[in-house]
Amino acid sequence: MKKNFKIIIVMIQFLVFTMFKSFANELHLYIRFTKVVYNEKEQAFIREFDYSDEYKKNMINVLKYLGYAYLEKNGNLYITIQLDSDIQYLWNLCNTAEDPSWVDRSK
C-alpha cells in the first residue's frame, strides 16, 4: 500500500512539473495590449488602455510587418506575454505605430 502511494505521489509531481514547464515556456500566451508612453515628468513608462481604432490598425500593421503574433478578440488587441514583458521595446513599437511615414511604408 505504501509503495503504491509513493508511486502515485511521484507521478503527480511529475505531471505537475511537466504542466508548469510547458506553461512557463509557452510563447503564445496572450495579454491585452496596452499602449506604452513615456512620461517625462515622472520619468517612467505609462500604460494606456484607451487608444483609437486607427492606432490599433497601425499597431497591427507594425506587428504583422515585424512578424509578431497577435489576436483580435471582442474589439481588443492581444499580444504575447513575451512581447509585453519588454516595456522599452514595446514603447518603441508604439512609437513606430504613431509614425505615419513608417506605417505607410509597411503596408
Side-chain angles (χ1 to χ4, degrees):
M1 183 74 166
K2 286 184 179 183
K3 185 177 182 179
N4 289 341
F5 183 73
K6 287 180 182 180
I7 291 172
I8 291 172
I9 295 297
V10 169
M11 289 174 53
I12 289 172
Q13 288 175 336
F14 176 76
L15 290 173
V16 169
F17 174 76
T18 304
M19 287 173 45
F20 176 76
K21 186 177 177 186
S22 69
F23 284 122
N25 291 330
E26 180 62 51
L27 297 178
H28 295 295
L29 294 176
Y30 293 90
I31 190 167
R32 185 172 172 200
F33 168 75
T34 54
K35 182 179 177 181
V36 177
V37 294
Y38 186 76
N39 185 313
E40 290 286 338
K41 184 178 178 183
E42 295 181 24
Q43 295 187 352
F45 292 105
I46 309 285
R47 292 181 177 266
E48 297 178 348
F49 281 97
D50 295 325
Y51 45 85
S52 68
D53 288 338
E54 183 67 25
Y55 179 82
K56 182 173 84 170
K57 189 167 69 170
N58 290 349
M59 190 64 193
I60 289 171
N61 286 337
V62 170
L63 294 170
K64 277 183 188 177
Y65 184 82
L66 296 173
Y68 288 108
Y70 69 92
L71 295 173
E72 282 184 274
K73 194 172 187 179
N74 299 327
N76 294 316
L77 178 61
Y78 293 86
I79 60 173
T80 62
I81 289 176
Q82 182 182 14
L83 180 58
D84 187 71
S85 67
D86 187 349
I87 197 162
Q88 282 186 307
Y89 185 69
L90 188 56
W91 174 66
N92 286 330
L93 294 179
C94 290
N95 286 335
T96 302
E98 291 180 325
D99 181 357
S101 63
W102 197 96
V103 172
D104 289 341
R105 285 189 312 239
S106 67
K107 288 183 180 179

